[in-house]
Each structure stands twice: as C-alpha cells, then as structure tokens.
Amino acid sequence: MPTLLKNLLKFTLFFVGAFIALSIWASYNRNLEKKVFGTPSFHGATVYRMPDLADWAYAERAKKKILFLGPSTLYRGVAPYVLNDDEISVFNGGSSGQRIMNSYFLLKYVLERGEIDMLVLDVFPRLWTGSKGVESARDHILNNPEYPAKAFGEMAWASEDVRNLFLGAFYAVKRGLLGRNEIQVTPAKEDDYRGDGFIYTLDSKERKSVDVRSDTASFSFREKRYFKKVQRLCAEKEIKLIVLIPPEVQPTPFVLPLIMDASNILNAQEAVPDSSLFYDNHHLYGRGAEYFSNWLKPRIKTVFNTQ
Amino acid sequence: MLIASYVFYGWWDYRFLGLILFSTVVDFVVGQSLAFAERPKRRKALLGLSLAVNLGLLAIFKYYNFFVESWIDAWAMFGIEMQASTLKIILPVGISFYTFQTLSYSIDIYRRKLQPTKSFINFAAFVSFFPQLVAGPIERASNLLPQIEKPRKFNYDQAVAGLRLILWGLFKKVVIADSLAPMVDDIFSNYEAYPGSVLVLGAVYFAFQIYCDFSGYSDIAIGVAKLFGVELMSNFKFPYFSRDIAEFWRRWHISLSTWFRDYLYIPIGGSRVNKAKVIRNVFIIFLVSGFWHGANWTFIWWGGIHAALFLPLLLLERNRKHRGEIAAHDRLLPNLRELWGMGSTFVMVTLAWVFFRAENMTHALDYLASIPNGITQIPNVFRSGLPYIAALLLLDWHFRKDERNIRFSKYQWVRYVFYTVLLLCILSNFSSEESFIYFQF
C-alpha cells in the first residue's frame, strides 16, 4: 500500500506539473485553449454583468441596495433603471440557467465585497427539478472575468461536475496566476446590455410558440438545501428576502415549498397579461421588462416600508 | 462491501432495493434447500421456483408491455381490434444482469457443480457486488463467491492493474463513446437528409460507440473489483480484431455469451445433435440473446442476423478456427488474410448494428436501403469522429495480447506521459449528463 500511495503521489505531481504547463501554453494560444478547454461566449452577458456586479457590491450603501438573483427570466425581465430612484439601488444578477445553488454563491460573492439590504430571489418553477446548476456554474467560470474569486470556485465545486472543476483549474491559472482575464465575445444581435445586469431584448428577437406544462413543479431536495442556506445567510446579515415567481404566459403549476415564508412571496405569474410582451412562454421582450418592472416597483417599496 | 453495494444501487432508486433483496432471498433459500433435497422431483421444483421468480421479475419489468403490444399487433393483422392496457413500468437498472447472476447460482447447485454458501451476507454481496451490478460482467458464483468468502490482502500489482483499467475504461467511455454519441444520434435521426457515405459513417461510429461504451464500463468494473482484491471475468477481448463471426462471439460480451452457452445452448443439445436441431439451437441462443437486450423486434432481428452469419461456420465446422490467440499475436502487423478476415467480419457486424441502434424495423430497413444513394460521395460532415476511431484502433492493437494488462510501455516516464494524456482527454470531455448504453438493458 505505501508503495502505491508513493507512486500515486509521484504521478499526481507529474500530472499537476503537466497541467500547469499546458494551461500556460493554452493561455497564450487561443487555438489550443479552444480545443482543450472551450471558448467563452456571450451567453446572457455574464462577461459584462460580473464586473458591474463587483463595482455595485463594492459601492457605498448611500441608498438601499437591492440585489436580484435568478435565471434568464430575471435578466431579461427586470430593468433596474425603472426601479432605481433616490431611495433604492438595484442590481440584476440574473444569469442563464441560474439555480438556487448558483444564486447562493453569487450572494456570498456580493457579501464578501459589501452589504445589501434586500435580496429578491427569482425561483422559476420550471427549473426546480433536473440540472444541478452545472450550466450556470460553467457560465460563471468560462465567461466571468471575476473568476477565480473564492465564491465562484466554491460554485464550481458545488456543481459536482468534473469538467467544471477542470475548467475552473485552467482559468485559475490563466486569470488568477497569469492575470489574463480579458474575454472577447460577440454579443447576440437581439440582446442589448443596458447596465446593472439587465438585458433589453429587442423586438427583432423571433417569437417562439408557448409550451404549456401541466406537471406540477415542486422543490427538489437540492433546491431546498440551498434555499435554506440562502435563508440562513440573509438572516445572519439582516437582509430582507423576497421570493419572486416570475411572469409567464401560461403559468406553471407549482407546490409552494414549506420552507418558504408565504408572506415574503411575490407571485407575479400573472403580472403581465399581454402575451405580446413575451417572446416565448416566460421570457419578456425589453418592453415587457419595463412593464413588469413598473408593476414590481411599488410592491418592492411596500415590503421595505412595512417590514 | 454489501453496504456499499446497496448504497450504490439505492442511490439510483431506493425502492428497487426491495427487488434485489427479494431475488437474493429467494435464491439463497433455494440454494440452501437444494443442498438437502435428494428427490429429483423436489430438486426440479426448487429450481423451477428460482427460474419462475427471476424470469418472472424480468418478464414483468422488462417485457410486459412488449408482449401486450405484440399481442394486439398480431390480432390487428387479421383486422381484429383488441383493447389492452400497458403499464407505466420503470425498468430497474441492472435487472437483466443480476437476475442472470443469481440464476447461475441456483442452476449450478441444482447440477451439483457448486456447494451453496452458508452465509447470507456473502451471498447478498455476490448478487449485488457494486462494480459489476448494473452492467456486468455477469459473474458466476463459482468464480466470485469464493473470492468474497476468503479474506483478501492488498496486492500492489493487482491494484495498479486495476487503476490502469479504470483509466482506460474511462477514456473509452468519456472520450470516444461520448464524442461519437451525438453524431450517431444525429445521423440515425435524420438519415433521409444524408448521403449513403454519411450513413456508413453513422453505422461505423455506432459500432465503436457501443464497443467503447460497454467495454469501457466493463474495464472500469474489472478495475474497481481489482482494487478490492477481486478478479472478475473478462467481458471483451478486442472483438473488432476477430477474423470471423465465431471469433467475434468469443470476444464480445463474453460473460453473456458464455452464460447462454452453459445454461441454454448446451442443455438443449448444443451442436451434438442432428443438423436440424443444431440449426434450431443456434437460432434459439442468438434470438434469446437479442431479446435479452430489450423488448423490441430490432434486437430480435439483430440476434437472428448473427445466427444466420454464425450458422454456416458451424455447419462447415469452421467455427473453431480462431480459438486461440488474437490476430498477429507474434507479429507487429496482420497479414493480408487476417486483414481480410477482420475487415469482412467488421462489415457484417456493423450492418447488424444498424438493427440494434434503429428505433424499429422500418427505421433499420430504410436506413440500410438509403446507403446506396450517394455512397461514393466523400462525407463532408461528421468527420471529426475518425481521429477518435484511429486512436482507439492503434491503442487497442498495441494492447491486443492481454485485455487486462493496459501497460503502455516498460519505461515509467513514457507511461506517465501516456496516463497524463488520457487523463487530460477524459477531463476535457467529461459530461455529467451522459449515461451508459448498457444501463438500460
């Protein structure tokens, strides 16, 4: 046994050395990087959102700071410039396929840099089962100039995906060790990034048919676990937590998880009655986002004033 | 080991733990009772109980809907509309593997080839031994049970060989099978849109996908078992280097084909009966083997095609021509005769794979009928799979003398470079969304 362990250690050192050498080489050779590790992409403007989020997190609390976290329904659906005023400062921290696990680590990332007053967590019921947040974790490694911040490393680990760890290790070398954190991506034509994390979806984006789900969504064990962590962190830092169920053309039926405090839930499933403001069942055009944000504003303010 | 195995199986769906436990209890009790039963009638009844329970579970969970639907279809051919309800049944993962494993235990005791174990824990560990529980190799009690019963000691060479097999198996599965899978899916789903040359590519890719997927799992299973000091039987011995169909079946899914040979083919007479019965027996074993893979006519046809390919060799008494060593065992390269044998066998096997992969018989036949259209066009899509196949063939050829010894070179630094390349390829291709094809059987 000791001989095996000794030889395994020897090989591990050899492998780590080879990996670092390959990572350095790939950091300066785009073709190699693309072949072995992959290519960053626009993918919901994470590349622009994350530096903005870092700046917002570090900014002083002159106003009440409200952070929104959630999936694509959020970054296309809530326009901070509609919500912002003399009293509140909003940041939309949504990203593609973001699950509660991903939101938890994004919240940690923000709290490591500053304080916030309220968290609005978009929990889109269609995402309650299925993937473990692998896609979003990969997005926050590959397309995120702020990687390798500690919280993103933890997110990669929590996604339980070998490839995410592999990519995480490479970008730790490239961006952390070599400081090569410039990311070149081509923005999607119909997606107009308007700052504070929001993407204004232009009307030129093709409308898709509405797919109706009749299955009732309920929280997976994993969603419950990370929701509890978010609750705990918010309680610890005295942050108000609001759960937002986003608007849909055909609302997805769901069972409200017992761990949620019913008084802090904003069910907006039917908040946007005009289906022409959506480009599919649950993604809003920019016009729709402005409409929905106007619906949201007084309700958010009420929560502040009443609690 | 038993706890680890049950946790492993329960991780997928804990409700099916009851099923494996039930099968285990029945065969343990049957085994114990057979030890004391002398009267042939009673012995037969006990064996019948084991067969009924194990094959009954398989029939309900795997074949119920197939039988009901085939029954309705058969009457529909005569214009009679029948109403029957099918069930929404989830196929318990690995059921075809562990039921065959427990059955072999009862049959061997019935034949007085094996003494029943007195320890229920050891028997349960044999049935559920986690490395090979869900996709084989299908072990025999005479090989695995004594290894579980005796105390095991750590063996450096065995552990290292195990780690090498795990790495090699992962490479075949993650890098080759999973890279070919999306191309195969695309080609088979949209075969009308592609020229014949691409369809040929699709069939070849599937041949390598299923080989790397399944043999990769077997290598991992054998490797993990080695870490526990257990030697499982070999399941694949470089089948695409076979020089005829008979040799192919000695090198492909060995644990299943030998199971059918020992517990079905030989009991019904094997090849020691008259020619008509030999033909019948060959068809029975291949059709049952096809049916074992799934409740679909495509699998049965796949088995039938192999029977038709194997039979001429058997009738001409040429089926034992390549019983010994692998092609070019004492040379670097194969000679022309061997090359022709390997090439023609691969073509036949690959054509049969089309039936295995197709959704239904119409799909398979249409796919094959579309191949002549545009067969001469050089494919300008899906060529990215070819380097994977070339790499696999080169490495398989290098290792061909011993499937259990994946030692690339005698020089340690060369081996380190080789393992590093394999590991980097695995890590850069890894996807947590992919599964193994043979889990569904």
Side-chain angles (χ1 to χ4, degrees):
Chain A
M1 187 71 104
T3 319
L4 179 72
L5 292 177
K6 201 180 84 189
N7 284 345
L8 277 175
L9 182 69
K10 238 164 90 180
F11 173 68
T12 306
L13 290 174
F14 181 89
F15 178 77
V16 170
F19 179 80
I20 292 172
L22 179 76
S23 298
I24 293 171
W25 186 11
S27 298
Y28 293 96
N29 184 326
R30 191 160 289 186
N31 267 342
L32 184 66
E33 179 182 349
K34 194 174 153 186
K35 275 187 185 143
V36 182
F37 300 102
T39 320
S41 65
F42 182 69
H43 206 70
T46 302
V47 62
Y48 304 135
R49 183 177 300 108
M50 296 323 287
D52 285 356
L53 179 62
D55 293 343
W56 184 83
Y58 278 124
E60 274 187 44
R61 258 167 100 195
K63 300 178 193 176
K64 299 270 188 197
K65 288 172 91 173
I66 305 178
L67 174 66
F68 280 71
L69 292 174
S72 54
T73 48
L74 177 68
Y75 72 71
R76 293 186 190 278
V78 174
Y81 59 81
V82 176
L83 295 164
N84 285 338
D85 61 18
D86 296 342
E87 291 174 338
I88 59 173
S89 164
V90 170
F91 192 90
N92 186 333
S95 57
S96 286
Q98 194 184 112
R99 305 300 163 97
I100 299 176
M101 179 276 281
N102 309 107
S103 305
Y104 168 70
F105 289 106
L106 279 162
L107 176 65
K108 272 186 84 173
Y109 170 78
V110 169
L111 295 178
E112 278 162 12
R113 279 150 188 79
E115 293 175 321
I116 62 167
D117 297 281
M118 185 192 272
L119 171 70
V120 181
L121 190 64
D122 177 327
V123 289
F124 180 40
R126 285 198 186 192
L127 296 183
W128 288 359
T129 45
S131 164
K132 293 190 264 182
V134 173
E135 179 203 350
S136 177
R138 192 164 300 170
D139 179 29
H140 285 101
I141 297 166
L142 201 61
N143 305 316
N144 179 4
E146 300 302 309
Y147 187 87
K150 189 178 155 225
F152 298 121
E154 289 172 350
M155 189 197 291
W157 181 258
S159 71
E160 298 170 8
D161 182 84
V162 175
R163 188 161 161 74
N164 277 356
L165 293 177
F166 179 64
L167 289 176
F170 166 66
Y171 286 107
V173 173
K174 185 183 176 184
R175 295 182 192 142
L177 207 68
L178 305 174
R180 292 181 64 86
N181 48 2
E182 77 287 359
I183 302 176
Q184 290 174 357
V185 294
T186 312
K189 269 189 291 184
E190 303 90 357
D191 291 347
D192 184 11
Y193 182 73
R194 296 208 173 167
D196 289 336
F198 173 61
I199 285 185
Y200 186 97
T201 311
L202 302 174
D203 282 2
S204 53
K205 189 163 181 91
E206 194 188 345
R207 190 182 293 273
K208 292 177 194 163
S209 59
V210 172
D211 62 321
V212 182
R213 291 237 181 127
S214 53
D215 293 353
T216 304
S218 56
F219 253 22
S220 67
F221 176 73
R222 192 174 165 82
E223 298 288 288
K224 251 183 234 170
R225 187 154 66 98
Y226 278 99
F227 186 77
K228 275 186 192 163
K229 285 183 178 227
V230 170
Q231 276 180 322
R232 220 174 294 143
L233 195 54
C234 286
E236 207 177 283
K237 303 277 180 181
E238 295 178 352
I239 298 165
K240 286 184 177 122
L241 172 63
I242 300 293
V243 173
L244 173 69
I245 315 285
E248 291 180 84
V249 177
Q250 294 287 338
T252 304
F254 66 90
V255 181
L256 196 67
L258 291 173
I259 49 169
M260 284 186 186
D261 178 355
S263 64
N264 287 344
I265 294 171
L266 260 179
N267 187 347
Q269 280 191 312
E270 294 178 21
V272 184
D274 180 359
S275 65
S276 71
L277 295 176
F278 292 85
Y279 70 80
D280 61 14
N281 180 60
H282 41 268
H283 290 107
L284 288 158
Y285 280 116
R287 296 179 286 120
E290 287 174 345
Y291 175 92
F292 176 55
S293 303
N294 276 309
W295 180 93
L296 205 56
K297 188 168 182 173
R299 287 164 177 84
I300 295 284
K301 288 219 155 196
T302 310
V303 175
F304 257 128
N305 297 334
T306 54
Q307 290 189 358
Chain B
M1 207 140 74
L2 178 63
I3 293 168
S5 297
Y6 275 19
V7 169
F8 174 78
Y9 196 67
W11 207 269
W12 168 69
D13 192 331
Y14 65 91
R15 291 170 300 176
F16 289 116
L17 276 173
L19 206 64
I20 195 168
L21 193 63
F22 174 64
S23 186
T24 307
V25 168
V26 168
D27 281 285
F28 182 74
V29 172
V30 165
Q32 292 296 312
S33 308
L34 276 170
F36 301 106
E38 288 303 323
R39 281 190 303 128
K41 238 182 175 177
R42 182 167 161 71
R43 293 181 68 81
K44 269 190 183 163
L46 285 166
L47 180 66
L49 175 69
S50 171
L51 288 168
V53 167
N54 287 297
L55 297 180
L57 287 177
L58 213 51
I60 292 167
F61 283 96
K62 195 166 174 176
Y63 300 110
Y64 174 81
N65 286 345
F66 172 78
F67 286 130
V68 171
E69 283 160 10
S70 298
W71 177 254
I72 296 169
D73 289 347
W75 282 106
M77 280 175 21
F78 299 104
I80 300 168
E81 289 275 324
M82 298 258 312
Q83 292 287 327
S85 57
T86 53
L87 299 174
K88 276 188 183 172
I89 299 173
I90 305 168
L91 181 65
V93 71
I95 189 169
S96 310
F97 294 90
Y98 70 74
T99 48
F100 271 45
Q101 196 155 304
T102 53
L103 266 180
S104 77
Y105 172 80
S106 301
I107 299 171
D108 281 352
I109 295 172
Y110 173 78
R111 290 174 172 175
R112 300 186 199 276
K113 282 185 176 173
L114 185 75
Q115 285 296 314
T117 176
K118 288 184 178 125
S119 161
F120 178 74
I121 302 284
N122 285 344
F123 181 69
F126 153 72
V127 176
S128 62
F129 186 49
F130 75 91
Q132 44 84 245
L133 171 62
V134 292
I138 302 166
E139 269 301 333
R140 308 297 173 80
S142 53
N143 179 42
L144 185 52
L145 206 48
Q147 295 188 70
I148 289 173
E149 283 175 330
K150 73 169 189 206
R152 289 175 305 277
K153 276 187 188 163
F154 175 78
N155 179 311
Y156 174 81
D157 291 332
Q158 195 180 29
V160 170
L163 288 171
R164 284 184 190 137
L165 274 170
I166 293 170
L167 189 66
W168 180 233
L170 277 170
F171 176 79
K172 284 199 277 187
K173 163 64 186 161
V174 174
V175 180
I176 300 177
D178 290 354
S179 301
L180 296 175
M183 291 186 264
V184 171
D185 291 347
D186 190 336
I187 297 170
F188 272 81
S189 305
N190 307 299
Y191 66 97
E192 304 101 324
Y194 295 119
S197 53
V198 171
L199 302 189
V200 170
L201 215 52
V204 171
Y205 283 178
F206 180 66
F208 282 97
Q209 183 203 345
I210 194 160
Y211 166 57
C212 289
D213 193 284
F214 193 19
S215 73
Y217 184 87
S218 292
D219 287 345
I220 296 167
I222 294 166
V224 173
K226 275 176 181 284
L227 295 179
F228 286 84
V230 171
E231 289 293 333
L232 298 178
M233 69 186 296
S234 290
N235 217 13
F236 291 86
K237 293 184 176 180
F238 311 103
Y240 292 149
F241 298 144
S242 304
R243 287 151 288 184
D244 58 36
I245 287 290
E247 188 184 11
F248 176 80
W249 278 104
R250 277 192 288 274
R251 296 184 176 279
W252 179 275
H253 203 174
I254 299 161
S255 66
L256 181 72
S257 45
T258 53
W259 198 100
F260 279 126
R261 183 197 64 199
D262 295 345
Y263 300 110
L264 181 64
Y265 184 65
I266 293 173
I268 57 173
S271 55
R272 294 181 178 182
V273 281
N274 64 47
K275 278 201 174 161
K277 282 189 175 166
V278 168
I279 294 169
R280 180 202 67 181
N281 292 349
V282 166
F283 269 96
I284 286 175
I285 188 175
F286 276 105
L287 293 178
V288 171
S289 171
F291 197 48
W292 176 90
H293 285 86
N296 194 329
W297 286 102
T298 51
F299 294 126
I300 297 171
W301 271 91
W302 171 77
I305 291 166
H306 273 281
L309 294 170
F310 178 77
L311 209 54
L313 293 176
L314 184 69
L315 295 176
L316 295 169
E317 293 182 358
R318 296 181 67 179
N319 60 315
R320 289 161 183 265
K321 203 172 154 196
H322 302 297
R323 271 178 67 98
E325 279 146 336
I326 197 155
H329 69 277
D330 52 356
R331 282 165 284 127
L332 181 64
L333 296 170
N335 59 33
L336 279 178
R337 200 189 175 89
E338 287 170 330
L339 213 54
W340 166 253
M342 288 190 281
S344 54
T345 306
F346 180 75
V347 169
M348 289 188 278
V349 168
T350 300
L351 287 175
W353 281 135
V354 172
F355 288 86
F356 195 95
R357 174 59 182 76
E359 304 293 324
N360 50 51
M361 285 306 295
T362 318
H363 184 199
L365 294 171
D366 283 353
Y367 189 99
L368 289 172
S370 305
I371 287 180
N373 307 325
I375 185 80
T376 51
Q377 277 182 35
I378 294 172
N380 53 3
V381 283
F382 301 119
R383 287 190 297 202
S384 59
L386 293 170
Y388 292 110
I389 293 175
L392 174 83
L393 286 175
L394 282 174
L395 290 168
D396 257 7
W397 188 255
H398 180 73
F399 297 134
R400 72 190 181 284
K401 283 171 200 163
D402 186 356
E403 75 285 353
R404 299 170 86 91
N405 185 13
I406 306 301
R407 194 169 183 266
F408 188 68
S409 163
K410 60 182 178 179
Y411 301 108
Q412 191 185 51
W413 72 269
V414 179
R415 288 201 302 273
Y416 274 22
V417 170
F418 176 65
Y419 302 149
T420 300
V421 171
L422 289 191
L423 204 49
L424 285 171
C425 290
I426 292 165
L427 292 171
S428 70
N429 279 276
F430 208 93
S431 161
S432 49
E433 311 291 320
E434 294 288 343
S435 184
F436 286 90
I437 295 176
Y438 263 69
F439 280 9
Q440 65 189 292
F441 305 138

